[in-house]
Amino acid sequence: GVPATTAEQPSVDHRACGHGKIILLGEHAVVYGSHAVAAPVPLAVRAVAQDTKSGGVDMFIPRWGVEYRLHRDPAHRDSFQRSLGIIFDELQLTDRSMRIEVFPNVPRAMGLGGSAAMAVAVIRALDQHYKLGLNDEEINALAFRCEEVAHGSASGIDNTVATYGKPLLYKRAGKKGEQPMVRELHLPKRIPLVIGISGKESLTAVTVGKVRTAWQRNPALYDGIFQQIDALTLQGVDAMQQYDLERLGDLMNICHGLLNALRVSSWEVEELVQIAREHGALGAKLTGGGGGGSIVALCPQNREKVVAAIRDAGYQAMEVEIG
Ligand code: MEV
């Protein structure tokens, strides 16, 4: 390869991406074996790998002001390096001399799957650059290892959507080593949504940890909530396939109530949900890890009104369609 010091004009071959996502129904409960429905959003993380003569693995994420040399010894890596570091160890590239530049178009820590998308993008960039011949299954499995490090009990749903970029129904494996259940969802028509972004960063590791602590104190009570989320998620799949958006909206609202019961909502998230409902959304709920982050609202009509109202309140909003 040609040594280079800048990745400003990467060749298309060396670009690779991982998809951002929303969870429509079932987050958190999915960690405990319930079903969840997720879909990609038109936001992606891209990465590009180039050879250098620098003598190490240099990681650049200009938009986040992140720049570091990967520590060869995993024991010396900080939490940020640890997750992506697994990729280089596993692919036996830790001793190479390279520059990885990442272009994250998924906002960080907003419940939109940024960390999984980043892992997938980096793996794909390395796969292309070093012609490793990884298939999607291998890419997904490696991204899952990164997610496990990023937040201990990851269900694997984020990396799966980041890899495949398709709407899907997901259920994690019963035991370690077993395969999760992944079913692609084919919808009769695309579903119109609004994503509201609170701007309040929240780490999935933290909210997943809070739910775990609460569950440990009263497993029977929390298992009951997870079962209700499981049941409404499966009803939601049916509603999506029938294109019964009224019913889907109801289920999203109830799901949000149960997530609130799990205490993974926040002041900002509640405000966003209220704004969306008041301006005509059929359903609105937090999406992803919660504790801040983003909401998703079902808006077959009034989409512009909901977006405008969210923006007027000082938050970011975008229209997306899934299916
Ligand atoms: C995060 O996008 C979804 C959670 O259910 C965590 C996970 O499934 O790994 C909160």
Side-chain angles (χ1 to χ4, degrees), residues 88-276:
F88 297 89
D89 299 340
E90 207 56 32
L91 300 176
Q92 301 183 336
L93 295 171
T94 314
D95 293 328
R96 296 291 180 102
S97 185
M98 72 171 95
R99 172 192 172 96
I100 308 277
E101 191 155 357
V102 183
F103 306 92
N105 288 318
V106 183
R108 170 156 66 168
M110 286 300 144
L112 299 173
S115 68
M118 180 164 306
V120 169
V122 170
I123 297 165
R124 286 199 164 132
L126 295 170
D127 176 53
Q128 286 176 19
H129 187 62
Y130 293 102
K131 304 196 169 36
L132 304 174
L134 298 176
N135 60 31
D136 281 350
E137 210 174 302
E138 290 163 323
I139 291 167
N140 190 25
L142 187 47
F144 179 53
R145 302 266 322 269
C146 301
E147 285 287 280
E148 280 187 310
V149 170
H151 65 99
S153 25
S155 68
I157 190 167
D158 287 13
N159 48 277
T160 304
V161 183
T163 303
Y164 295 99
K166 300 260 167 62
L168 39 93
L169 175 66
Y170 183 92
K171 187 180 192 299
R172 76 180 304 169
K175 295 195 196 91
K176 233 185 156 62
E178 283 178 9
Q179 289 301 309
M181 193 284 290
V182 183
R183 206 176 92 203
E184 192 184 330
L185 292 176
H186 299 280
L187 308 178
K189 262 198 310 185
R190 293 170 73 74
I191 296 180
L193 302 169
V194 169
I195 295 176
I197 303 175
S198 74
K200 186 180 176 219
E201 290 194 2
S202 171
L203 292 176
T204 301
V206 174
T207 54
V208 168
K210 270 174 63 179
V211 173
R212 180 156 302 266
T213 307
W215 171 74
Q216 279 163 344
R217 272 195 237 117
N218 196 340
L221 183 70
Y222 282 80
D223 283 338
I225 295 177
F226 301 146
Q227 277 160 21
Q228 289 198 42
I229 294 178
D230 189 48
L232 70 81
T233 299
L234 292 173
Q235 283 193 41
V237 171
D238 190 55
M240 287 168 84
Q241 283 167 342
Q242 309 284 327
Y243 211 74
D244 183 347
L245 299 189
E246 296 263 342
R247 192 158 140 239
L248 179 62
D250 271 351
L251 293 164
M252 288 169 66
N253 287 329
I254 293 167
C255 186
H256 181 71
L258 294 169
L259 289 163
N260 191 323
L262 297 176
R263 277 162 296 148
V264 294
S265 191
S266 76
W267 184 273
E268 297 81 0
V269 162
E270 290 306 314
E271 187 178 7
L272 283 165
V273 163
Q274 290 306 326
I275 292 171

Side-chain angles (χ1 to χ4, degrees), residues 24-36:
L24 200 60
L25 294 166
E27 52 274 269
H28 284 289
V30 69
V31 172
Y32 297 82
S34 296
H35 291 84

